[in-house]
Coordinates of all heavy atoms in Angstrom, one line a residue:
M10 N 10.4 11.2 -12.1 CA 11.3 10.1 -11.7 C 11.7 10.3 -10.3 O 12.0 11.3 -9.8 CB 12.5 10.1 -12.7 CG 13.4 8.9 -12.4 SD 12.8 7.6 -13.4 CE 14.3 6.7 -13.5
S11 N 11.6 9.2 -9.6 CA 12.0 9.2 -8.2 C 13.5 9.3 -8.0 O 14.2 8.7 -8.8 CB 11.4 7.9 -7.5 OG 11.8 7.8 -6.2
T12 N 13.9 10.0 -7.0 CA 15.3 10.2 -6.7 C 15.8 9.3 -5.6 O 16.9 9.6 -5.0 CB 15.7 11.6 -6.4 OG1 14.9 12.0 -5.3 CG2 15.3 12.5 -7.6
L13 N 15.1 8.3 -5.2 CA 15.5 7.4 -4.2 C 16.5 6.3 -4.6 O 16.5 5.9 -5.8 CB 14.2 6.6 -3.6 CG 13.1 7.5 -3.0 CD1 11.9 6.7 -2.7 CD2 13.6 8.2 -1.8
S14 N 17.4 5.9 -3.7 CA 18.3 4.9 -4.1 C 17.6 3.5 -4.0 O 16.5 3.4 -3.5 CB 19.5 4.9 -3.1 OG 19.1 4.4 -1.8
D15 N 18.3 2.5 -4.5 CA 17.7 1.1 -4.5 C 17.5 0.6 -3.1 O 16.5 0.0 -2.9 CB 18.7 0.1 -5.2 CG 18.5 0.2 -6.7 OD1 17.5 0.7 -7.2 OD2 19.4 -0.4 -7.4
T16 N 18.3 1.0 -2.2 CA 18.1 0.6 -0.8 C 16.9 1.3 -0.2 O 16.1 0.6 0.5 CB 19.4 1.0 0.1 OG1 20.5 0.4 -0.5 CG2 19.2 0.5 1.5
E17 N 16.7 2.6 -0.5 CA 15.5 3.3 0.0 C 14.3 2.7 -0.6 O 13.2 2.6 0.1 CB 15.7 4.8 -0.3 CG 16.8 5.4 0.5 CD 17.0 6.9 0.1 OE1 17.0 7.1 -1.2 OE2 17.3 7.7 0.9
I18 N 14.3 2.4 -1.9 CA 13.1 1.8 -2.5 C 12.8 0.4 -2.0 O 11.7 0.1 -1.7 CB 13.3 1.7 -4.1 CG1 13.4 3.1 -4.7 CG2 12.3 0.9 -4.7 CD1 13.8 3.2 -6.1
G19 N 13.8 -0.4 -1.7 CA 13.7 -1.7 -1.1 C 13.1 -1.6 0.3 O 12.2 -2.3 0.6
N20 N 13.5 -0.6 1.0 CA 13.0 -0.4 2.4 C 11.5 0.1 2.3 O 10.7 -0.4 3.1 CB 13.8 0.6 3.2 CG 15.2 0.1 3.5 OD1 15.4 -1.1 3.6 ND2 16.1 1.0 3.8
K21 N 11.2 1.0 1.4 CA 9.8 1.5 1.3 C 8.9 0.3 0.8 O 7.8 0.2 1.3 CB 9.8 2.6 0.3 CG 8.4 3.3 0.3 CD 8.5 4.6 -0.5 CE 9.0 5.7 0.4 NZ 8.0 6.8 0.6
K22 N 9.4 -0.5 -0.1 CA 8.6 -1.6 -0.6 C 8.4 -2.6 0.5 O 7.2 -3.1 0.7 CB 9.4 -2.3 -1.8 CG 8.7 -3.5 -2.3 CD 9.5 -4.1 -3.5 CE 10.6 -5.0 -2.9 NZ 11.1 -5.9 -4.0
L23 N 9.4 -2.9 1.3 CA 9.2 -3.9 2.4 C 8.3 -3.3 3.5 O 7.4 -4.0 3.9 CB 10.6 -4.1 3.1 CG 10.6 -5.1 4.2 CD1 10.1 -6.5 3.7 CD2 12.0 -5.2 4.8
A24 N 8.4 -2.0 3.8 CA 7.5 -1.4 4.8 C 6.1 -1.4 4.3 O 5.1 -1.7 5.0 CB 8.0 0.0 5.1
A25 N 5.9 -1.0 3.0 CA 4.5 -1.0 2.4 C 3.9 -2.4 2.4 O 2.7 -2.6 2.7 CB 4.5 -0.3 1.1
G26 N 4.7 -3.4 2.0 CA 4.2 -4.8 1.9 C 3.8 -5.3 3.2 O 2.8 -5.9 3.3
L27 N 4.7 -5.2 4.2 CA 4.4 -5.8 5.5 C 3.2 -5.0 6.2 O 2.4 -5.7 6.8 CB 5.6 -5.7 6.4 CG 6.7 -6.7 5.9 CD1 7.9 -6.5 6.9 CD2 6.3 -8.1 5.9
T28 N 3.2 -3.7 6.1 CA 2.0 -3.0 6.7 C 0.7 -3.3 5.9 O -0.3 -3.3 6.5 CB 2.2 -1.5 6.8 OG1 2.5 -1.0 5.5 CG2 3.4 -1.2 7.8
G29 N 0.8 -3.6 4.6 CA -0.3 -4.0 3.9 C -0.9 -5.3 4.3 O -2.1 -5.5 4.5
I30 N 0.0 -6.2 4.6 CA -0.4 -7.6 5.1 C -1.0 -7.5 6.5 O -2.0 -8.1 6.8 CB 0.8 -8.6 5.0 CG1 1.1 -8.8 3.5 CG2 0.5 -9.9 5.7 CD1 2.4 -9.6 3.3
F31 N -0.3 -6.8 7.4 CA -0.7 -6.8 8.8 C -1.7 -5.7 9.2 O -2.5 -5.9 10.1 CB 0.5 -6.8 9.7 CG 1.4 -8.0 9.5 CD1 2.7 -7.9 9.0 CD2 0.9 -9.3 9.9 CE1 3.4 -9.0 8.8 CE2 1.7 -10.4 9.8 CZ 3.0 -10.3 9.2
L32 N -1.6 -4.6 8.6 CA -2.5 -3.4 9.0 C -3.2 -2.9 7.8 O -3.6 -1.7 7.7 CB -1.6 -2.3 9.6 CG -0.9 -2.7 10.9 CD1 0.1 -1.6 11.3 CD2 -1.9 -3.0 12.0
G33 N -3.4 -3.7 6.8 CA -4.0 -3.2 5.5 C -5.4 -2.6 5.6 O -5.7 -1.7 4.9
A34 N -6.2 -3.1 6.6 CA -7.6 -2.6 6.7 C -7.6 -1.1 7.1 O -8.5 -0.4 6.8 CB -8.3 -3.4 7.7
F35 N -6.5 -0.7 7.7 CA -6.5 0.7 8.2 C -5.8 1.6 7.2 O -5.6 2.8 7.4 CB -5.8 0.8 9.6 CG -6.6 0.0 10.6 CD1 -6.0 -1.1 11.2 CD2 -7.9 0.4 11.0 CE1 -6.7 -1.8 12.2 CE2 -8.6 -0.4 11.9 CZ -8.0 -1.4 12.5
G36 N -5.3 1.1 6.1 CA -4.7 1.9 5.0 C -3.3 2.3 5.4 O -2.8 3.3 4.8
V37 N -2.6 1.7 6.3 CA -1.3 2.1 6.7 C -0.3 2.1 5.6 O 0.6 2.9 5.4 CB -0.8 1.3 8.0 CG1 0.6 1.7 8.3 CG2 -1.7 1.5 9.1
H38 N -0.4 1.0 4.8 CA 0.5 0.9 3.6 C 0.3 2.0 2.6 O 1.3 2.4 2.0 CB 0.3 -0.5 3.0 CG -1.0 -0.8 2.4 ND1 -2.2 -0.9 3.2 CD2 -1.5 -1.0 1.2 CE1 -3.2 -1.1 2.5 NE2 -2.8 -1.2 1.2
K39 N -0.9 2.5 2.5 CA -1.1 3.7 1.6 C -0.4 4.9 2.2 O 0.2 5.7 1.4 CB -2.6 4.0 1.5 CG -3.4 2.8 0.9 CD -3.1 2.6 -0.6 CE -4.0 1.6 -1.2 NZ -3.7 1.3 -2.6
F40 N -0.5 5.1 3.5 CA 0.2 6.2 4.1 C 1.7 6.1 3.9 O 2.4 7.1 3.7 CB -0.1 6.3 5.6 CG -1.4 6.9 6.0 CD1 -2.4 6.2 6.6 CD2 -1.7 8.2 5.7 CE1 -3.6 6.7 6.9 CE2 -2.9 8.8 6.0 CZ -3.9 8.0 6.6
V41 N 2.3 4.9 4.0 CA 3.7 4.7 3.8 C 4.1 5.1 2.4 O 5.2 5.7 2.2 CB 4.1 3.2 4.0 CG1 5.5 2.9 3.5 CG2 3.9 2.8 5.5
L42 N 3.3 4.9 1.4 CA 3.6 5.3 0.0 C 3.2 6.7 -0.3 O 3.5 7.2 -1.3 CB 2.8 4.4 -0.9 CG 3.3 2.9 -0.9 CD1 2.4 2.1 -1.8 CD2 4.7 2.8 -1.4
G43 N 2.6 7.4 0.7 CA 2.2 8.8 0.5 C 0.9 9.0 -0.2 O 0.6 10.1 -0.7
Y44 N 0.0 8.0 -0.3 CA -1.3 8.1 -0.9 C -2.3 8.4 0.2 O -3.0 7.5 0.7 CB -1.7 6.8 -1.6 CG -0.7 6.3 -2.7 CD1 -0.6 5.0 -3.0 CD2 0.1 7.2 -3.4 CE1 0.2 4.5 -4.0 CE2 0.9 6.8 -4.4 CZ 1.0 5.4 -4.7 OH 1.8 5.0 -5.7
N45 N -2.4 9.6 0.6 CA -3.2 10.0 1.7 C -4.7 9.8 1.5 O -5.4 9.4 2.4 CB -2.9 11.4 2.2 CG -1.5 11.5 2.7 OD1 -1.0 10.6 3.2 ND2 -0.9 12.7 2.6
K46 N -5.2 10.2 0.3 CA -6.7 10.1 0.1 C -7.2 8.6 0.1 O -8.1 8.4 0.9 CB -7.0 10.7 -1.3 CG -8.5 10.8 -1.6 CD -8.8 11.5 -2.9 CE -10.2 11.6 -3.2 NZ -10.5 12.2 -4.5
P47 N -6.5 7.7 -0.6 CA -7.0 6.3 -0.4 C -6.8 5.7 1.0 O -7.6 5.0 1.5 CB -6.1 5.5 -1.4 CG -5.6 6.5 -2.4 CD -5.5 7.8 -1.6
A48 N -5.7 6.2 1.7 CA -5.5 5.7 3.0 C -6.6 6.2 4.0 O -7.1 5.4 4.8 CB -4.2 6.3 3.5
I49 N -7.0 7.5 3.8 CA -8.1 8.0 4.7 C -9.4 7.3 4.4 O -10.2 7.0 5.3 CB -8.2 9.5 4.5 CG1 -6.9 10.2 5.2 CG2 -9.4 10.1 5.2 CD1 -6.8 11.6 4.9
I50 N -9.7 7.0 3.1 CA -10.9 6.3 2.7 C -10.9 4.9 3.4 O -11.9 4.5 4.0 CB -11.0 6.1 1.2 CG1 -11.3 7.5 0.6 CG2 -12.1 5.1 0.8 CD1 -11.2 7.5 -0.9
M51 N -9.8 4.2 3.3 CA -9.7 2.9 3.9 C -9.9 2.9 5.5 O -10.6 2.1 6.0 CB -8.4 2.2 3.6 CG -8.2 1.8 2.1 SD -6.7 1.0 1.8 CE -7.0 -0.6 2.3
L52 N -9.3 3.9 6.1 CA -9.3 4.0 7.5 C -10.7 4.4 8.0 O -11.3 3.7 8.9 CB -8.4 5.1 8.0 CG -8.3 5.4 9.5 CD1 -7.9 4.2 10.3 CD2 -7.4 6.6 9.8
V53 N -11.4 5.3 7.4 CA -12.7 5.7 7.8 C -13.7 4.6 7.5 O -14.6 4.3 8.4 CB -13.1 7.0 7.0 CG1 -14.6 7.4 7.2 CG2 -12.3 8.2 7.5
V54 N -13.7 4.0 6.3 CA -14.6 2.9 6.0 C -14.5 1.8 7.0 O -15.4 1.2 7.5 CB -14.5 2.5 4.6 CG1 -15.3 1.2 4.3 CG2 -15.0 3.6 3.6
S55 N -13.2 1.4 7.3 CA -12.9 0.3 8.2 C -13.5 0.6 9.6 O -14.0 -0.3 10.3 CB -11.4 0.0 8.3 OG -10.9 -0.5 7.2
L56 N -13.4 1.8 10.1 CA -13.9 2.2 11.4 C -15.4 2.4 11.5 O -16.0 2.1 12.5 CB -13.2 3.4 11.9 CG -11.6 3.3 12.1 CD1 -11.0 4.6 12.5 CD2 -11.4 2.2 13.2
L57 N -16.0 2.8 10.4 CA -17.4 3.2 10.5 C -18.4 2.1 10.0 O -19.6 2.2 10.2 CB -17.7 4.4 9.6 CG -17.0 5.7 10.1 CD1 -17.3 6.9 9.2 CD2 -17.4 6.0 11.6
T58 N -17.9 1.0 9.5 CA -18.8 -0.1 9.0 C -19.0 -1.3 9.9 O -19.5 -2.3 9.5 CB -18.4 -0.5 7.6 OG1 -17.0 -1.1 7.7 CG2 -18.4 0.6 6.6
C59 N -18.6 -1.1 11.1 CA -18.8 -2.2 12.1 C -18.2 -3.5 11.7 O -18.8 -4.6 11.9 CB -20.2 -2.3 12.5 SG -20.9 -0.8 13.2
G60 N -17.0 -3.5 11.1 CA -16.4 -4.8 10.7 C -16.5 -5.2 9.3 O -15.6 -6.0 8.8
V61 N -17.5 -4.9 8.6 CA -17.7 -5.3 7.2 C -16.6 -4.7 6.3 O -16.0 -5.4 5.6 CB -19.1 -5.0 6.7 CG1 -19.3 -5.3 5.2 CG2 -20.2 -5.7 7.5
G62 N -16.5 -3.4 6.4 CA -15.4 -2.7 5.6 C -14.1 -3.2 6.1 O -13.1 -3.3 5.2
Y63 N -13.9 -3.4 7.4 CA -12.6 -3.9 7.9 C -12.2 -5.2 7.2 O -11.1 -5.3 6.7 CB -12.6 -4.1 9.4 CG -11.4 -4.7 9.9 CD1 -10.3 -3.9 10.3 CD2 -11.2 -6.1 10.1 CE1 -9.1 -4.4 10.8 CE2 -10.1 -6.6 10.6 CZ -9.0 -5.8 10.9 OH -7.8 -6.3 11.4
F64 N -13.1 -6.1 7.1 CA -12.8 -7.4 6.5 C -12.4 -7.2 5.0 O -11.4 -7.8 4.5 CB -14.0 -8.4 6.6 CG -13.7 -9.7 5.9 CD1 -12.9 -10.6 6.4 CD2 -14.4 -10.0 4.7 CE1 -12.6 -11.8 5.8 CE2 -14.2 -11.2 4.0 CZ -13.3 -12.1 4.6
V65 N -13.2 -6.5 4.3 CA -13.0 -6.2 2.9 C -11.6 -5.6 2.6 O -10.8 -6.0 1.8 CB -14.1 -5.4 2.2 CG1 -13.8 -5.0 0.8 CG2 -15.4 -6.2 2.3
F66 N -11.3 -4.5 3.4 CA -10.1 -3.8 3.2 C -8.9 -4.6 3.7 O -7.8 -4.4 3.3 CB -10.1 -2.4 3.9 CG -10.9 -1.4 3.0 CD1 -11.8 -0.6 3.6 CD2 -10.6 -1.3 1.7 CE1 -12.5 0.3 2.8 CE2 -11.2 -0.4 0.9 CZ -12.2 0.4 1.4
Q67 N -9.1 -5.5 4.7 CA -8.0 -6.4 5.1 C -7.6 -7.3 4.0 O -6.4 -7.5 3.8 CB -8.3 -7.1 6.4 CG -7.2 -7.9 6.9 CD -6.0 -7.1 7.3 OE1 -6.1 -6.0 7.9 NE2 -4.8 -7.6 6.9
V68 N -8.6 -7.9 3.3 CA -8.3 -8.7 2.2 C -7.5 -7.9 1.1 O -6.5 -8.4 0.5 CB -9.6 -9.4 1.6 CG1 -9.3 -10.1 0.3 CG2 -10.2 -10.3 2.6
I69 N -8.0 -6.7 0.8 CA -7.3 -5.9 -0.2 C -5.9 -5.6 0.3 O -5.0 -5.6 -0.5 CB -8.2 -4.6 -0.4 CG1 -9.4 -4.9 -1.2 CG2 -7.3 -3.6 -1.2 CD1 -10.4 -3.7 -1.3
G70 N -5.7 -5.3 1.5 CA -4.4 -5.0 2.1 C -3.5 -6.2 1.9 O -2.3 -6.0 1.6
I71 N -4.0 -7.4 2.2 CA -3.1 -8.6 2.1 C -2.7 -8.7 0.6 O -1.5 -9.0 0.3 CB -3.9 -9.8 2.6 CG1 -4.0 -9.7 4.1 CG2 -3.1 -11.1 2.2 CD1 -4.9 -10.8 4.7
I72 N -3.7 -8.6 -0.3 CA -3.4 -8.7 -1.7 C -2.3 -7.7 -2.2 O -1.3 -8.0 -2.8 CB -4.6 -8.7 -2.6 CG1 -5.5 -9.9 -2.3 CG2 -4.3 -8.5 -4.1 CD1 -6.9 -9.7 -2.9
E73 N -2.6 -6.4 -1.8 CA -1.6 -5.4 -2.2 C -0.3 -5.6 -1.5 O 0.8 -5.4 -2.2 CB -2.2 -4.0 -1.8 CG -3.3 -3.6 -2.7 CD -3.8 -2.2 -2.3 OE1 -3.7 -1.7 -1.2 OE2 -4.3 -1.5 -3.3
G74 N -0.2 -6.0 -0.3 CA 1.1 -6.3 0.3 C 1.9 -7.4 -0.4 O 3.1 -7.2 -0.6
I75 N 1.2 -8.4 -0.8 CA 1.9 -9.5 -1.5 C 2.3 -9.0 -2.9 O 3.5 -9.3 -3.3 CB 1.0 -10.7 -1.7 CG1 0.7 -11.4 -0.3 CG2 1.5 -11.7 -2.7 CD1 -0.3 -12.4 -0.3
I76 N 1.5 -8.2 -3.5 CA 1.9 -7.6 -4.8 C 3.1 -6.7 -4.7 O 4.1 -6.8 -5.5 CB 0.8 -6.8 -5.5 CG1 -0.3 -7.8 -5.9 CG2 1.2 -6.0 -6.6 CD1 -1.6 -7.1 -6.4
Y77 N 3.2 -5.9 -3.6 CA 4.3 -5.0 -3.4 C 5.6 -5.8 -3.2 O 6.6 -5.5 -3.8 CB 4.1 -4.1 -2.2 CG 3.0 -3.1 -2.2 CD1 2.5 -2.6 -1.1 CD2 2.4 -2.7 -3.4 CE1 1.5 -1.7 -1.1 CE2 1.4 -1.8 -3.5 CZ 0.9 -1.3 -2.3 OH -0.1 -0.3 -2.3
L78 N 5.5 -6.9 -2.4 CA 6.7 -7.7 -2.1 C 7.2 -8.5 -3.3 O 8.3 -8.8 -3.3 CB 6.4 -8.6 -0.9 CG 6.2 -7.8 0.5 CD1 5.7 -8.8 1.5 CD2 7.4 -7.1 0.9
A79 N 6.2 -8.9 -4.2 CA 6.6 -9.7 -5.3 C 7.3 -8.9 -6.4 O 7.9 -9.5 -7.3 CB 5.4 -10.4 -5.8
K80 N 7.1 -7.6 -6.4 CA 7.7 -6.8 -7.5 C 9.2 -6.5 -7.3 O 9.7 -6.5 -6.1 CB 7.0 -5.4 -7.5 CG 5.5 -5.5 -7.8 CD 5.2 -4.8 -9.1 CE 3.7 -4.9 -9.3 NZ 3.4 -5.4 -10.6
S81 N 9.9 -6.4 -8.4 CA 11.3 -6.0 -8.2 C 11.4 -4.5 -7.8 O 10.4 -3.8 -8.0 CB 12.1 -6.2 -9.6 OG 11.6 -5.2 -10.5
N82 N 12.5 -4.0 -7.4 CA 12.6 -2.6 -7.0 C 12.3 -1.7 -8.2 O 11.7 -0.6 -8.0 CB 14.0 -2.3 -6.5 CG 14.2 -2.8 -5.1 OD1 13.3 -3.3 -4.4 ND2 15.4 -2.8 -4.6
D83 N 12.7 -2.0 -9.4 CA 12.5 -1.2 -10.6 C 11.0 -1.2 -10.9 O 10.4 -0.1 -11.2 CB 13.3 -1.7 -11.8 CG 14.8 -1.5 -11.6 OD1 15.2 -0.5 -10.9 OD2 15.6 -2.2 -12.2
E84 N 10.3 -2.3 -10.9 CA 8.9 -2.4 -11.1 C 8.1 -1.6 -10.0 O 7.2 -0.8 -10.4 CB 8.4 -3.8 -11.1 CG 8.9 -4.6 -12.3 CD 8.5 -6.1 -12.2 OE1 8.4 -6.6 -11.0 OE2 8.2 -6.7 -13.2
F85 N 8.5 -1.7 -8.8 CA 7.9 -1.0 -7.7 C 8.0 0.5 -7.9 O 7.1 1.2 -7.7 CB 8.5 -1.5 -6.4 CG 7.8 -0.9 -5.2 CD1 6.6 -1.4 -4.7 CD2 8.3 0.2 -4.5 CE1 6.0 -0.8 -3.6 CE2 7.7 0.8 -3.4 CZ 6.5 0.3 -3.0
R86 N 9.2 0.9 -8.2 CA 9.5 2.4 -8.4 C 8.6 2.9 -9.6 O 8.0 3.9 -9.4 CB 10.9 2.6 -8.8 CG 11.2 4.1 -9.0 CD 12.6 4.3 -9.8 NE 13.7 3.6 -9.2 CZ 14.7 4.2 -8.7 NH1 14.8 5.5 -8.6 NH2 15.7 3.4 -8.3
A87 N 8.6 2.1 -10.7 CA 7.8 2.6 -11.9 C 6.3 2.7 -11.6 O 5.7 3.6 -12.0 CB 8.1 1.7 -13.0
E88 N 5.8 1.7 -10.9 CA 4.3 1.6 -10.7 C 3.8 2.4 -9.6 O 2.8 3.1 -9.7 CB 3.9 0.1 -10.5 CG 3.5 -0.5 -11.8 CD 2.9 -1.9 -11.6 OE1 1.9 -2.0 -10.9 OE2 3.4 -2.9 -12.1
Y89 N 4.5 2.3 -8.4 CA 3.9 2.9 -7.2 C 4.6 4.2 -6.8 O 3.9 5.0 -6.0 CB 4.0 1.9 -6.1 CG 3.1 0.7 -6.4 CD1 3.7 -0.5 -6.8 CD2 1.7 0.7 -6.4 CE1 3.0 -1.6 -7.1 CE2 1.0 -0.4 -6.8 CZ 1.6 -1.5 -7.1 OH 0.9 -2.6 -7.5
L90 N 5.8 4.5 -7.2 CA 6.4 5.7 -6.8 C 6.4 6.8 -7.9 O 6.0 7.9 -7.6 CB 7.9 5.5 -6.3 CG 8.0 4.5 -5.1 CD1 9.5 4.3 -4.8 CD2 7.3 5.0 -3.9
D91 N 6.7 6.3 -9.1 CA 6.7 7.3 -10.2 C 5.3 7.5 -10.8 O 4.8 8.6 -11.0 CB 7.6 6.8 -11.3 CG 9.1 6.9 -10.9 OD1 9.4 7.6 -9.9 OD2 9.9 6.2 -11.5
A92 N 4.5 6.4 -11.1 CA 3.2 6.5 -11.7 C 2.1 6.7 -10.7 O 1.0 7.1 -11.0 CB 2.9 5.3 -12.5
E93 N 2.4 6.5 -9.4 CA 1.5 6.7 -8.3 C 0.2 6.0 -8.5 O -0.9 6.5 -8.4 CB 1.2 8.2 -8.0 CG 2.5 8.9 -7.6 CD 2.2 10.4 -7.2 OE1 1.1 10.8 -7.2 OE2 3.2 11.1 -7.0
K94 N 0.3 4.7 -8.7 CA -0.9 3.8 -8.9 C -1.5 3.5 -7.5 O -0.9 2.9 -6.6 CB -0.4 2.5 -9.5 CG -1.5 1.5 -9.8 CD -0.9 0.3 -10.5 CE -2.0 -0.8 -10.7 NZ -1.4 -2.0 -11.3
D95 N -2.7 4.0 -7.3 CA -3.3 4.0 -6.0 C -3.8 2.6 -5.5 O -3.6 2.2 -4.4 CB -4.6 4.9 -5.9 CG -4.2 6.4 -5.9 OD1 -3.0 6.7 -5.6 OD2 -5.0 7.2 -6.2
W96 N -4.5 1.9 -6.4 CA -5.1 0.6 -6.0 C -4.5 -0.5 -6.8 O -4.4 -0.5 -8.0 CB -6.6 0.7 -6.2 CG -7.2 1.7 -5.4 CD1 -7.6 3.0 -5.8 CD2 -7.6 1.7 -4.0 NE1 -8.1 3.7 -4.8 CE2 -8.2 3.0 -3.7 CE3 -7.5 0.8 -3.0 CZ2 -8.6 3.3 -2.4 CZ3 -8.0 1.1 -1.8 CH2 -8.5 2.3 -1.5
F97 N -4.2 -1.6 -6.2 CA -3.6 -2.8 -6.8 C -2.5 -2.4 -7.7 O -1.7 -3.0 -8.2 CB -4.6 -3.7 -7.5 CG -5.6 -4.3 -6.5 CD1 -6.8 -3.7 -6.3 CD2 -5.3 -5.4 -5.9 CE1 -7.8 -4.2 -5.5 CE2 -6.2 -6.0 -5.0 CZ -7.5 -5.4 -4.8

């Protein structure tokens, strides 16, 4: 169980959501949540595929960012902080 307050969870949710929308192709939102392996995968694929991977991961980042922002703090804590759900 996460020991973060509601304010800290709300801040983390907002940071992850906005970085997912604006910098999602580079996996910044994954780094914000502490998911280093998926973040590194997104970063390397985006940089090495000459734009194809960038486009795909940007769409994924936008979707994930919207999902993060649409969740309540309790749902966000349960799914992404406690259960550590990596993708979507």
